[in-house]
Amino acid sequence: VGLDVGLYDPANYNTGASTRGSTIGSSNVALATAPVEIKVPRIDIAVPIKWAGFKFNPKGSWITKKYEQVAVNTETSYDIWAAGIDITYSYGPFSAAFDFVTGKNLADADHWFLSARYAFTKKLRIKASYGQAKSENEVDPSITTDNVETTRTAYGIGLDWFLAPNLICIPQVMWFDRGDDNLNGTGVKIDNGESAVYGLQFQLLF
């Protein structure tokens, strides 16, 4: 069991109209033009735990954003936070990993990802992955047609083929579904489409 704590300089958030990393303010003119101040550095905390063939990594992150002069002599602030866990497992030629994150005011409020790998030999491994991300934005909760909601899915399969001890050939295929039941901010459900990526990668290890 361990404890990892990180404090990150939030200077890149201080440049006025930026709302990077947040889904709030995308259609709110007052927020989009208000000066931004970060009250404290971004705080990240993780607690890595090892047990048998498992590795657990509970994690969390938090930061507060403050907008000045949204209206005359006023200020508005909100918190951005995330919590989640990474889990990995390995036994013989098999290994798997799972990642989950949820939070508030994130670009992707909830997402999870699962991957697995099996080694046929020391030179050949097969791997597969599947994941999903969901984002929501209620710019004005009193206006139902102002809400945006998107769910995206990705999955793929590939091989790790060791041509030499430090050279890997990686053929892989990935499919992406950007969602067919999304709200686009006008109360209308839309299909954002699908796509696929076919690739061949050569990785040189040093």
Side-chain angles (χ1 to χ4, degrees):
V1 179
L3 176 64
D4 298 330
V5 179
L7 300 178
Y8 295 89
D9 182 1
N12 62 321
Y13 287 92
N14 288 344
T15 54
S18 173
T19 56
R20 183 172 20 184
S22 169
T23 58
I24 284 186
S26 58
S27 65
N28 187 316
V29 176
L31 282 181
T33 57
V36 183
E37 177 186 347
I38 303 299
K39 293 183 178 180
V40 296
R42 197 185 85 199
I43 301 173
D44 289 3
I45 299 176
V47 184
I49 303 169
K50 294 182 180 180
W51 177 74
F54 290 91
K55 293 181 180 179
F56 303 90
N57 189 44
K59 57 189 178 181
S61 182
W62 173 77
I63 194 169
T64 294
K65 244 183 172 181
K66 182 174 71 173
Y67 291 85
E68 298 179 343
Q69 302 297 326
V70 176
V72 178
N73 297 323
T74 66
E75 66 178 37
T76 299
S77 66
Y78 65 89
D79 294 330
I80 302 171
W81 65 265
I85 188 170
D86 302 329
I87 303 174
T88 59
Y89 173 77
S90 60
Y91 180 78
F94 175 78
S95 62
F98 175 76
D99 175 63
F100 171 76
V101 173
T102 187
K104 181 180 179 182
N105 299 330
L106 299 174
D108 289 317
D110 299 290
H111 71 259
W112 62 270
F113 190 80
L114 176 65
S115 62
R117 177 179 294 171
Y118 184 84
F120 294 107
T121 68
K122 291 183 178 180
K123 293 186 177 181
L124 184 63
R125 302 182 303 203
I126 188 172
K127 56 186 180 181
S129 58
Y130 184 90
Q132 191 174 86
K134 181 177 181 180
S135 59
E136 297 182 35
N137 182 17
E138 291 188 352
V139 178
D140 187 342
S142 65
I143 305 175
T144 57
T145 57
D146 201 27
N147 301 333
V148 177
E149 180 179 310
T150 303
T151 299
R152 302 186 300 276
T153 303
Y155 51 98
I157 189 170
L159 293 173
D160 292 337
W161 179 20
F162 287 80
L163 302 176
N166 61 340
L167 178 62
I168 311 176
C169 175
I170 309 174
Q172 55 188 352
V173 182
M174 292 292 296
W175 293 272
F176 301 91
D177 184 347
R178 294 178 176 84
D180 56 6
D181 197 25
N182 306 300
L183 297 177
N184 66 352
T186 63
V188 178
K189 292 184 178 180
I190 59 173
D191 186 344
N192 285 338
E194 300 177 356
S195 61
V197 177
Y198 308 89
L200 180 64
Q201 174 185 355
F202 290 91
Q203 190 174 100
L204 184 62
L205 306 177
F206 293 94

